[in-house]
Amino acid sequence: MLINKAYKFRLYPSKEQETLIAKTIGCSRFVFNRFLGQWNDTYQETGKGLTYSSCSAELTQLKKEFVWLKEVDSIALQSSLKNLADSYTRFFKKQNKAPRFKSKKNQVQSYTTKETNSNMAIVNNKIKLPKLGLVRLAKSREVEGRILSATVRRNPSGKFFVSILVETDVQPLKKTDSSIGVDLGITDFAVLSDGRKIDNNKFTCKMDKRLKREQRKLSRRALSAKNK
């Protein structure tokens, strides 16, 4: 059974890559806002919006007028336009409010790009992204599955993150026709009705680090006392 799964990692781009990320975010925002203005005008005049196809064709001409749009990932610009079209589709279905203009003052700035022709991949402790090339990341776990898209984010503190969406194959578990009670706790993550306990890895990991730190302190003090 194929499912979508997301991974999130901290990114450590170079200065040149940071500049290109900032440009891509700005260009994606420009495309979104420009076509949102046209969409709003058309909706007020006709009661209907535009279409993604017509806007996509116009985006190609727009790059000739604003040549700096060619400096960034073209798929990111198309994704920004697709997000606008999807937002308006949900608006017409009364599933959400009308899309609003994006501001560069928003706390979190981001752009999304999609995988095409192997333009994205995980290579050791780096991720290959369109236009950016290989970007170092803190890979805390292995990425399993086929990469579908990646969203690059910059938070208010200036840190960069990437959220990777993959398609992976999982085998559904067989039904056992049995049941069990689960009691969530603090010291133990969960205690089952059959007496089994599931460890709280977060708590154990935190205490393990503290234990190592205290053991180093103790070793230093013992060595200092021995020298005296």
Side-chain angles (χ1 to χ4, degrees), residues 104-155:
K104 61 181 179 181
K105 294 182 180 180
N106 288 345
Q107 290 189 340
V108 179
Q109 300 286 339
S110 67
Y111 75 87
T112 299
T113 185
K114 296 183 178 181
E115 196 279 337
T116 55
N117 300 322
S118 301
N119 61 349
M120 285 190 281
I122 302 295
V123 183
N124 297 324
N125 290 326
K126 295 181 179 180
I127 180 172
K128 176 186 174 185
L129 292 170
K131 289 285 186 176
L132 294 176
L134 293 174
V135 187
R136 188 164 64 92
L137 80 164
K139 190 173 69 171
S140 55
R141 53 180 173 162
E142 293 297 326
V143 177
E144 299 177 354
R146 182 175 67 90
I147 297 178
L148 300 176
S149 65
T151 299
V152 178
R153 292 184 175 87
R154 182 186 63 209
N155 67 12

Side-chain angles (χ1 to χ4, degrees), residues 48-75:
K48 298 180 180 180
L50 302 174
T51 64
Y52 169 75
S53 298
S54 63
C55 291
S56 180
E58 187 176 342
L59 177 59
T60 303
Q61 299 301 318
L62 196 66
K63 290 181 181 179
K64 297 179 181 179
E65 180 181 355
F66 302 100
V67 293
W68 37 268
L69 289 174
K70 298 180 181 180
E71 298 178 12
V72 303
D73 179 14
S74 60
I75 303 175

Side-chain angles (χ1 to χ4, degrees), residues 142-197:
E142 293 297 326
V143 177
E144 299 177 354
R146 182 175 67 90
I147 297 178
L148 300 176
S149 65
T151 299
V152 178
R153 292 184 175 87
R154 182 186 63 209
N155 67 12
S157 66
K159 294 180 180 179
F160 293 87
F161 296 88
V162 60
S163 297
I164 307 169
L165 182 67
V166 304
E167 183 182 67
T168 184
D169 189 14
V170 297
Q171 297 299 323
L173 299 175
K174 295 181 180 180
K175 293 183 178 181
T176 60
D177 295 324
S178 62
S179 60
I180 194 169
V182 181
D183 181 23
L184 299 180
I186 298 177
T187 304
D188 297 304
F189 176 72
V191 178
L192 308 183
S193 57
D194 61 3
R196 286 183 294 163
K197 295 182 179 180

